[in-house]
Amino acid sequence: MAYLGTFEIPVDKLRTHPDNPNEGDVPGIAESLRKNTQFQAICVQADDPDDPHAGGVILAGNHTYLAARSNGWTTIRAELHNLDEQAQLRVMLAANALAKRGVLDDRLLAEVLSQVDDLAGTGYDEHDLDSLVRSLEPPDLDDIAADVGEVKPDDGWPSITMRVPHTVKAAWNAHLSTHSDDPAQAMASLLGVDAY
């Protein structure tokens, strides 16, 4: 494995990796490039290690490259490498997989987004920020009560489920009807205990 250097490479000398399984947000990246310019080099397997400007195949940054082209860029900053085929595949797969495994701290993210005057180019918009802030607010207990209804005495009771013959089921239904169809009262009377 060899790192050859970082260069400005003509975009028409570069190719996306044919086996890249990731589908990135090209319009979002294009907006970021317009707003922030390129803040991270793409990673390229050199076609000719002795001639950096001969270009190559992109291992990481395929969608940054596509976004740059959509913005009309003629060159893009790239790290050139000379890797064997297995290393090329590992780099491509790692670039896709490892970023997706990260977990955001939503509270910290909301704080940082709130510090940015213009969210264009961040990958977020005002709607994202508003939704994030709302998700972090403690729930209103009155709203919860309105959604689920008033608390009932039996809300925390365990349930009993069993399979019985049809004759037992019929006898139970008859017994239940003598206790105002209240299963707890009916069962308690059979067991000789108080239901409430």
Side-chain angles (χ1 to χ4, degrees):
M1 295 177 66
Y3 165 67
L4 303 175
T6 301
F7 306 91
E8 286 288 331
I9 307 294
V11 295
D12 59 3
K13 297 292 186 180
L14 297 170
R15 308 179 303 284
T16 58
H17 198 291
D19 296 325
N20 180 22
N22 188 42
E23 295 187 10
D25 179 9
V26 173
I29 298 170
E31 180 184 50
S32 175
L33 291 176
R34 290 191 298 271
K35 189 74 174 180
N36 306 312
T37 195
Q38 185 184 359
F39 53 81
Q40 187 175 22
I42 65 173
C43 176
V44 173
Q45 166 65 24
D47 283 343
D48 182 353
D50 296 321
D51 181 8
H53 292 90
V57 63
I58 301 166
L59 305 179
N62 283 273
H63 298 93
T64 300
Y65 158 78
L66 293 173
R69 288 195 70 142
S70 75
N71 283 345
W73 290 17
T74 57
T75 65
I76 190 168
R77 187 167 65 257
E79 288 186 359
L80 259 64
H81 297 263
N82 186 22
L83 310 176
D84 62 39
E85 289 186 9
Q86 285 296 300
Q88 292 176 42
L89 292 175
R90 285 196 301 270
V91 168
M92 179 194 65
L93 292 170
N96 289 329
L98 297 179
K100 292 181 178 179
R101 291 183 187 168
V103 177
L104 290 171
D105 179 329
D106 287 343
R107 192 168 301 282
L108 180 57
L109 175 61
E111 291 176 7
V112 175
L113 289 174
S114 298
Q115 297 172 31
V116 179
D117 294 333
D118 180 3
L119 293 178
T122 65
Y124 299 91
D125 58 25
E126 292 294 340
H127 178 265
D128 296 325
L129 177 56
D130 291 343
S131 297
L132 185 59
V133 169
R134 280 196 304 273
S135 74
L136 295 170
E137 294 173 350
D140 186 294
L141 297 182
D142 291 334
D143 290 342
I144 294 175
D147 289 340
V148 303
E150 293 298 321
V151 177
K152 297 189 257 328
D154 61 355
D155 278 346
W157 288 5
S159 62
I160 298 174
T161 304
M162 63 181 72
R163 295 172 64 86
V164 297
H166 292 289
T167 52
V168 174
K169 173 67 172 172
W172 167 254
N173 286 339
H175 177 68
L176 183 61
S177 68
T178 65
H179 291 80
S180 304
D181 289 329
D182 183 334
Q185 286 283 14
M187 180 64 75
S189 73
L190 289 176
L191 300 176
V193 296
D194 294 330
Y196 301 103

